[in-house]
Amino acid sequence: MIGSLVHLIRNLRAGFVLAREGALALIDPSALPPAARFGLRMARLIERPQAGDGAARLSKALTRLGPSYVKFGQFLATRPDIVGVAAARDLERLQDRMPPFPRAEAVRMVEVALGRPIDELFLEFSEPIAAASIAQVHKARIRTAEGEEIIAVKVVRPGVREGFARDLQAMRAAARLFERVVPDARRLKPLEIVEALARSVAVEMDLRLEAAAVSELAENTKDDPDFRVPKPEWDLTARDVLTTTWIDGIRLNDLAGIEAAGLDRVALGRTVIQSFLRHAIRDGYFHADMHPGNLFVDAEGRLVAVDFGIMGRLGMKERRFLAEILLGFIRRDYLRVAQVHFEAGYVPPYHSVEDFAQAIRAIGEPIHDRRADEISMAKLLTLLFEITALFDMATRIELVMLQKTMVVVEGVARNLDPKLDMWTTSEPVVRDWIERNLGPLGRVEQAGKGLWTLAGVIGDLPELALRAERVLNQLEDVTARGVALDQDSVAAIGRAEARGNRWGVAALWIIAASLMIMMFRGFA
C-alpha cells in the first residue's frame, strides 16, 4: 500500500513536470477516450507559456526529471516503431549531460571497486572531464612496462542503481495504469517498453560488459586500416570502473578542426559509412550509438569510436537480409527485395510477393530519379519499414536499432560531405560480403559445415540406436505388465472415486502419467 502511494506521488510529479513544460502537447487527443481527453485538457491548463514546440518540450521535461527519464527518452529514440519516426529523430537531440559529481566521490568509488588506494592505482587522477546520467569520465596516468601512459577512467555515479530502481518501479506502475485506462494503448506495450529499458540500463551499468564490448569490437576490426577503438585495461576495470587507453583526436562535428588538421572530409565521410556497414554486415556486431560525440578522428586520419554502452548484434539471417535488400535497391531489383523479406519470414506468407514488390517499387523508383547526393539511405529504410507495416511485418528490435543507427551514421557522414553518394559508398561493402558469403566460395564453406554436422550425427548413430532399443524394450514391458502404481496412489484414486471427486481423479491420473513419462526419460 505504502509502495503504491510512493509510486503515485512520483508519477504525479512526473506528470506535473511534463504538463508544465508542454510535453503533453505531443499527445494526439483523438486517439484517447473521452475521459482521457478531458484529463489532457485539464492538465494542459498549467502549461508554461512559450514552452517551445516539438520535442524541445519533451527534452526539457525529461532533463528536469533526472537521469532515469533522460535515459528513457534516449531509449525511445531507438524505437521509432513505437513513438514514430519524427518523434524518434527529435528525441535523438536529447543530450545525456548531467552535472558531474565530486572527484572525492569518484576516488572513493574507484578505491572500493578496485580494492586499492588511488595513489597506488594511478600516478594522476583528474577532475571529471565529462558526465552523463550513469557515469562520468576522468583522465589519469599509469606506469606500464613501456613507460607512462594516459588513460580514461569511467566511474559509475554513486547511488545510480538505487535511483534507477526507484524510478523504474514508478514507470512500471504508470505503464500498468496506462494500459488499464487506455485499453487501445496496449498495442504499444508500455510495460514491455519499461522492462526493455530496465534490461538495457542493467547492462549499461555493469562496466565489465562495456569492456567486453570494446574488446570484441577491437578483435573484429584489428585488420581495418581506417578504424580503431581504445584498448581496455582489465586490471583496472570492475563493475563500477572502466579503464581504457586515452583517445587523442578531433570530434567529427568539429569541421573547422578537421580542416585545420589537413584531414580529408570526403574520405572520412566514406569511412564512417563503410565502417558501420562492415561492422553490421561482416561482423554482425556494431556500435549502436554512433553520434558525433562518440566519434573522433586521430592524427593518422583513422576513425575512432568511444562509449560502448549500447551495442547492436545481428545474426547471419539478419545480415543476409540487410545486404540483399540494400543490393536489391542499388540494382533496382524490387522482386528480389520482396523475396528476401518472405524468405526471412518477416512478412507473413498469406501476402503476395508481387504485391509487396510493387509497394517497394513505390519507394525505390522516386529515389532513383534523383541525384546521388540527394538520396537518403536512412529515409529509404524508414520508408521501407512503413511499407512493411502495411504487410503485417513483425517488429524486429535488432533491425529497428540498425535503422536508428543508420539514421545517425548517415547524418554524421553527410555533415562531413554533404554530397556523399550513399550508393557508391555502400556498394563495395555490400557486394563483397554477398560474393564472399552467398557466392560459390560461401556455398562451398556452408556445404563443408553441413558435412561436418552430418558427420557428427553419423558418429552418434550407434548411441542413438542403443537409446531407441532401450525405449522400445521399456514400452514392451509397459504393454505387457502395465504401469505399476504404489499402494498409496491406488488407495488415493479409490478414495477420490468413492467421493465422486472427478477433478481429484483426473489430477491423480495425471500424476501417474507423469511418473510413467519420467520413467521413460530415465531409461532414455
Side-chain angles (χ1 to χ4, degrees):
M1 180 65 185
I2 295 177
S4 299
L5 182 60
V6 171
H7 297 332
L8 176 62
I9 293 172
R10 288 191 178 126
N11 285 324
L12 286 174
R13 174 184 173 269
F16 175 81
V17 172
L18 290 168
R20 182 63 177 161
E21 296 298 336
L24 299 183
L26 300 174
I27 299 176
D28 180 8
S30 64
L32 301 176
R37 285 200 296 270
F38 176 77
L40 180 63
R41 284 197 300 270
M42 293 296 100
R44 293 199 61 187
L45 292 177
I46 64 172
E47 189 172 297
R48 187 164 52 82
Q50 299 176 339
D53 54 10
R57 305 179 179 194
L58 183 57
S59 297
K60 188 176 293 185
L62 294 175
T63 301
R64 276 191 59 188
L65 287 170
S68 303
Y69 290 88
V70 169
K71 188 59 65 178
F72 185 56
Q74 290 183 312
F75 178 76
L76 289 179
T78 69
R79 298 300 306 270
D81 58 315
I82 294 172
V83 299
V85 175
R89 287 179 177 172
D90 285 338
L91 283 170
E92 285 170 4
R93 304 172 191 167
L94 186 62
Q95 298 297 310
D96 190 3
R97 295 174 183 169
M98 294 288 160
F101 55 90
R103 177 184 179 278
E105 279 293 310
V107 168
R108 184 185 64 80
M109 294 285 291
V110 170
E111 290 180 339
V112 170
L114 301 180
R116 292 164 61 191
I118 197 76
D119 294 337
E120 293 182 13
L121 295 167
F122 308 107
L123 298 174
E124 181 183 340
F125 189 82
S126 76
E127 294 289 334
I129 59 174
S133 56
I134 289 178
Q136 68 184 27
V137 178
H138 299 257
K139 191 174 184 178
R141 285 191 303 119
I142 58 173
R143 182 176 288 111
T144 67
E146 293 77 22
E148 292 186 6
E149 181 181 352
I150 300 176
I151 55 173
V153 183
K154 187 174 184 178
V155 186
V156 168
R157 283 183 175 274
V160 68
R161 289 183 179 83
E162 294 78 6
F164 267 91
R166 289 192 300 268
D167 289 339
L168 284 169
Q169 283 294 90
M171 290 179 189
R172 289 186 180 99
R176 286 191 288 266
L177 179 62
F178 187 52
E179 287 185 350
R180 286 198 298 269
V181 174
V182 188
D184 290 343
R186 290 175 185 170
R187 64 181 179 82
L188 298 178
K189 302 178 180 178
L191 191 56
E192 288 187 22
I193 295 171
V194 175
E195 294 302 336
L197 171 65
R199 291 191 296 270
S200 173
V201 169
V203 170
E204 200 170 344
M205 285 192 294
D206 190 334
L207 299 186
R208 295 168 298 188
L209 300 181
E210 184 172 343
V214 178
S215 178
E216 183 174 350
L217 194 59
E219 183 177 331
N220 291 342
T221 61
K222 62 181 182 296
D223 296 325
D224 294 354
D226 51 6
F227 181 88
R228 72 182 181 95
V229 296
K231 174 179 170 290
E233 298 287 345
W234 287 103
D235 291 340
L236 297 173
T237 294
R239 187 185 70 157
D240 292 339
V241 178
L242 168 63
T243 304
T244 64
T245 51
W246 181 261
I247 296 299
D248 277 319
I250 305 170
R251 290 187 186 272
L252 285 199
N253 56 359
D254 184 3
L255 301 183
I258 291 173
E259 291 180 349
L263 298 170
D264 187 341
R265 283 173 50 181
V266 173
L268 192 55
R270 184 169 58 249
T271 297
V272 170
I273 296 297
Q274 292 186 345
S275 293
F276 168 71
L277 288 175
R278 274 197 298 266
H279 303 164
I281 298 175
R282 180 193 66 190
D283 307 325
Y285 191 62
F286 60 93
H287 194 308
D289 196 18
M290 292 182 69
H291 62 75
N294 287 339
L295 295 174
F296 297 80
V297 55
D298 65 14
E300 299 176 26
R302 293 177 298 180
L303 184 66
V304 188
V306 299
D307 194 355
F308 304 89
I310 305 175
M311 304 294 292
R313 196 179 292 278
L314 299 175
M316 180 58 72
K317 176 180 175 181
E318 290 77 24
R319 290 150 67 186
R320 174 177 175 175
F321 172 78
L322 173 63
E324 290 216 58
I325 64 169
L326 291 178
L327 193 63
F329 272 104
I330 290 170
R331 296 178 175 176
R332 303 173 79 168
D333 187 353
Y334 306 119
L335 182 60
R336 182 57 193 153
V337 174
Q339 289 170 341
V340 170
H341 279 78
F342 280 78
E343 290 170 4
Y346 294 154
V347 179
Y350 53 78
H351 286 292
S352 164
V353 176
E354 290 75 16
D355 289 346
F356 190 58
Q358 180 183 5
I360 292 176
R361 180 181 292 273
I363 299 172
E365 282 304 297
I367 65 173
H368 279 286
D369 291 335
R370 300 170 66 184
R371 298 194 315 272
D373 62 321
E374 295 177 333
I375 297 172
S376 167
M377 186 177 295
K379 183 177 180 181
L380 168 68
L381 290 174
T382 298
L383 292 173
L384 177 62
F385 285 163
E386 290 177 355
I387 288 294
T388 53
L390 297 177
F391 285 81
D392 304 316
M393 177 176 171
T395 298
R396 298 294 298 257
I397 182 61
E398 67 273 20
L399 296 180
V400 172
M401 181 175 286
L402 177 77
Q403 182 256 359
K404 176 261 181 186
T405 308
M406 177 67 81
V407 172
V408 177
V409 168
E410 184 190 28
V412 173
R414 285 197 183 278
N415 189 46
L416 292 163
D417 178 15
K419 295 189 176 182
L420 180 73
D421 186 338
M422 297 294 294
W423 299 121
T424 303
T425 304
S426 303
E427 186 174 15
V429 178
V430 175
R431 187 185 62 247
D432 289 350
W433 187 86
I434 287 179
E435 290 176 355
R436 178 68 181 79
N437 291 273
L438 305 181
L441 181 60
R443 293 187 185 280
V444 169
E445 288 186 354
Q446 290 175 10
K449 292 177 181 177
L451 288 174
W452 182 258
T453 302
L454 182 60
V457 172
I458 292 173
D460 291 337
L461 281 178
E463 178 65 22
L464 291 173
L466 289 174
R467 292 181 182 178
E469 183 181 9
R470 287 197 296 268
V471 171
L472 289 174
N473 289 336
Q474 185 62 32
L475 283 173
E476 289 179 359
D477 291 342
V478 170
T479 303
R481 295 195 295 266
V483 178
L485 298 176
D486 59 38
Q487 294 182 353
D488 291 341
S489 296
V490 173
I493 293 173
R495 287 194 300 271
E497 288 180 340
R499 290 194 304 267
N501 189 345
R502 296 179 181 178
W503 289 108
V505 173
L508 288 167
W509 279 112
I510 289 172
I511 292 171
S514 300
L515 290 171
M516 183 178 69
I517 293 171
M518 291 171 64
M519 180 176 62
F520 285 162
R521 288 180 176 172
F523 280 98

